[in-house]
Amino acid sequence: MLISAFLLPCRWDAMEYDEKLARFRQAHLNPFNKEIGPRQHEQRASEETSEVASEEALPELPPGEPEFCCTERVMDLGLSEDHFSRPVGLFLASDIQQLRQAIEECKQVILELPEHSEKQKDAVVRLIHLRLKLQELKDPNEDEPNIRVLLEHRFYKEKSKSVKQTCDKCNTIIWGLIQTWYTCTGCYYRCHSKCLNLISKPCVRSKVSHQAEYELNICPETGLDSQDYRCAECRAPISLRGVPSEARQCDYTGQYYCSHCHWNDLAVIPARVVHNWDFEPRKVSRCSMRYLALMVSRPVLRLREINPLLFNYVEELVEIRKLRQDILLMKPYFITCKEAMEARLLLQLQDRQHFVENDEMYSIQDLLDAHTGRLGCSLTETHTLFAKHIKLDCERCQAKGFVCELCREGDVLFPFDSHTSVCTECSAVFHRLLFQLHQLLI
């Protein structure tokens, strides 16, 4: 009795809620639905009466069983409307074709919606966003040429779509799948096709070709006021306080740059290497970084003139200089030996061609490898290979050996042996101890 007395008001509350919901729906008709005719009104009223009758005819549950008083109409959460339909305009478009298709669909929806309605206004806003996105991501690969020459840059259109790069002009990501971009073959400057005509930086390769030399003063700062508080490259206003833009110093040039021209890239500074044997990378501007990258393998450093005391403190340089001198003494054997020319032994040093030309010039890459020990190991292996050919493998090269002019005894001598000395005037080869004694007696 207590359970039935409790369920009775619950059923009456459900029926009362049902009637209120029906009256609310009749009073708030969807203005976008078509007008309902009288026959449809009668049909809907008959459906409602049948639903009420079916509810009244529901069998009562036995005592102890819970009763859910929420009917189908009570559980209606508005899901009968198309809440999960695709929005007007496809914002997740991944290519130009999908964007164009989304724009056409959005236009069609705007024409079908009632004028001056909120839905039509939202569709117009979506259409504007879609057109802006299409304009921004439009791929002009059909119109753009494969080669562009600007400010001594030689730009080639990139075909790789999967690599993500950063535009050096606008400092934004290059989306290779949907954007056309170019790379300079000289300095590897990358930019969007739309940014090509905005470039103001000439190619660094031209500077390397015309002025292949380093700034050998350590961070030659002149002050931000000497730059008129502007970026040294693009002349944008900068300040140390970061308003309107942060001033970033390049450790190579000593000048200040804006955040668009200075990305805090790290590079080894040549002046710190030749003066302090310091290889710690420091922050440089984008232009300096490209210049140093292009100059890293160029032998433009004459260490004996720049800092002759460096050989007194760096043992690796002393060993490398002796190996280079020996290789220069081996060179005449190879250029007159048919077997050596066929074997192309001198190409063992093709990456360091200046090693077979002189023993004075160094590149920054040479000094980096000397600091890590790689250069000494590779030169020792090459020296061993060259000496083996001359002294053991080739009879013609063995026949070009020397006999000590002072004692005329012992093994055949070669000018690159560690126990020999060469006369600077006549190029004769002697045992080192005898030659030194002979010099003292003279």
Side-chain angles (χ1 to χ4, degrees):
M1 295 298 292
L2 292 175
I3 296 176
S4 61
F6 174 75
L7 294 177
L8 186 59
C10 181
R11 175 167 295 183
W12 278 107
D13 291 342
M15 294 176 61
E16 184 181 356
Y17 173 78
D18 233 10
E19 294 175 359
K20 289 182 179 180
L21 183 61
R23 289 197 299 269
F24 176 79
R25 288 183 173 178
Q26 290 179 2
H28 298 79
L29 295 177
N30 191 344
F32 299 101
N33 291 342
K34 297 181 180 180
E35 296 182 358
I36 301 175
R39 294 184 179 178
Q40 294 175 348
H41 276 295
E42 294 176 359
Q43 184 179 358
R44 178 170 297 179
S46 63
E47 291 177 356
E48 292 178 358
T49 55
S50 63
E51 290 175 0
V52 174
S54 61
E55 290 173 3
E56 294 177 353
L58 287 174
E60 294 186 1
L61 294 174
E65 293 292 335
E67 179 180 355
F68 296 95
C69 305
C70 297
T71 62
E72 183 181 358
R73 187 178 295 278
V74 177
M75 293 296 292
D76 185 4
L77 300 179
L79 299 183
S80 58
E81 299 180 10
D82 192 8
H83 287 283
F84 297 98
S85 60
R86 184 176 62 172
V88 179
L90 188 58
F91 280 98
L92 300 178
S94 59
D95 56 14
I96 303 302
Q97 186 64 29
Q98 292 184 6
L99 275 174
R100 289 173 177 169
Q101 180 182 356
I103 289 175
E104 295 300 325
E105 292 179 2
C106 196
K107 288 180 181 179
Q108 187 65 28
V109 171
I110 292 174
L111 295 177
E112 295 176 357
L113 289 173
E115 294 184 1
H116 308 295
S117 63
E118 293 297 329
K119 288 188 176 181
Q120 189 184 50
K121 293 179 182 179
D122 294 340
V124 172
V125 173
R126 294 189 186 98
L127 178 62
I128 294 173
H129 285 297
L130 286 171
R131 284 181 171 174
L132 289 175
K133 189 174 182 180
L134 178 63
Q135 182 67 23
E136 180 182 358
L137 303 180
K138 185 178 180 182
D139 189 358
N141 54 3
E142 298 179 357
D143 304 328
E144 293 288 343
N146 292 327
I147 302 175
R148 294 285 300 274
V149 179
L150 295 170
L151 296 176
E152 300 186 12
H153 291 279
R154 189 172 182 84
F155 288 104
Y156 276 81
K157 184 191 296 185
E158 290 289 348
K159 298 181 180 180
S160 176
K161 301 296 184 181
S162 59
V163 181
K164 186 171 68 173
Q165 303 288 351
T166 303
C167 179
D168 288 316
K169 176 58 184 176
C170 62
N171 199 12
T172 58
I173 295 177
I174 299 174
W175 300 102
L177 290 174
I178 53 181
Q179 290 179 311
T180 300
W181 54 292
Y182 287 81
T183 301
C184 177
T185 57
C187 63
Y188 305 104
Y189 188 97
R190 301 181 181 90
C191 69
H192 298 99
S193 60
K194 62 182 181 181
C195 297
L196 278 178
N197 295 327
L198 304 177
I199 294 175
S200 59
K201 306 173 185 177
C203 183
V204 182
R205 174 72 71 176
S206 61
K207 182 179 178 182
V208 173
S209 302
H210 302 139
Q211 188 182 0
E213 59 183 9
Y214 286 117
E215 172 60 58
L216 295 180
N217 295 318
I218 298 177
C219 194
E221 181 183 4
T222 58
L224 190 56
D225 56 339
S226 63
Q227 300 178 203
D228 196 20
Y229 295 92
R230 294 182 177 275
C231 174
E233 190 165 347
C234 68
R235 307 305 297 170
I238 55 176
S239 69
L240 296 176
R241 296 182 179 180
V243 179
S245 180
E246 177 188 4
R248 299 179 179 179
Q249 187 181 31
C250 174
D251 196 82
Y252 174 68
T253 63
Q255 296 178 317
Y256 290 89
Y257 298 82
C258 66
S259 58
H260 289 284
C261 300
H262 194 310
W263 295 5
N264 290 327
D265 296 301
L266 299 177
V268 175
I269 309 302
R272 297 184 182 274
V273 173
V274 298
H275 292 298
N276 301 332
W277 201 242
D278 181 8
F279 292 89
E280 181 181 355
R282 287 175 169 80
K283 296 179 180 180
V284 295
S285 64
R286 294 291 292 177
C287 185
S288 299
M289 187 267 295
R290 291 193 189 90
Y291 182 77
L292 294 175
L294 293 176
M295 287 283 293
V296 68
S297 299
R298 285 182 171 263
V300 296
L301 297 173
R302 195 182 298 270
L303 291 184
R304 290 183 183 177
E305 296 181 2
I306 299 173
N307 188 8
L309 296 178
L310 197 61
F311 291 91
N312 297 336
Y313 296 96
V314 183
E315 297 180 358
E316 296 89 343
L317 289 179
V318 178
E319 297 176 0
I320 290 172
R321 181 175 61 180
K322 179 63 171 64
L323 291 172
R324 292 184 63 176
Q325 291 173 351
D326 291 347
I327 289 175
L328 289 177
L329 294 174
M330 296 177 184
K331 181 180 177 181
Y333 288 86
F334 294 143
I335 60 178
T336 57
C337 176
K338 182 179 179 181
E339 295 180 2
M341 294 298 292
E342 292 178 353
R344 298 184 178 183
L345 291 179
L346 288 178
L347 290 181
Q348 298 289 330
L349 296 171
Q350 59 180 347
D351 294 335
R352 307 180 195 271
Q353 190 64 32
H354 53 285
F355 279 17
V356 296
E357 296 175 357
N358 58 74
D359 63 337
E360 297 181 354
M361 305 302 294
Y362 292 84
S363 66
I364 288 295
Q365 189 63 52
D366 296 337
L367 301 182
L368 283 169
D369 294 340
H371 177 66
T372 58
R374 289 180 295 182
L375 180 58
C377 294
S378 63
L379 274 183
T380 301
E381 293 177 359
T382 304
H383 184 279
T384 304
L385 177 65
F386 287 178
K388 180 175 179 295
H389 171 82
I390 296 173
K391 301 176 69 173
L392 299 176
D393 297 342
C394 182
E395 296 181 356
R396 296 178 182 179
C397 293
Q398 292 177 18
K400 298 175 185 177
F402 292 83
V403 177
C404 180
E405 298 290 341
L406 296 176
C407 67
R408 297 185 180 276
E409 295 179 357
D411 299 333
V412 178
L413 303 180
F414 293 91
F416 51 84
D417 288 334
S418 59
H419 60 282
T420 61
S421 295
V422 181
C423 179
T424 56
E425 296 180 359
C426 63
S427 299
V429 181
F430 306 90
H431 288 102
R432 176 170 296 181
L433 295 177
L434 292 178
F435 184 75
Q436 292 176 352
L437 181 62
H438 178 72
Q439 292 293 326
L440 292 175
L441 295 177
I442 294 178

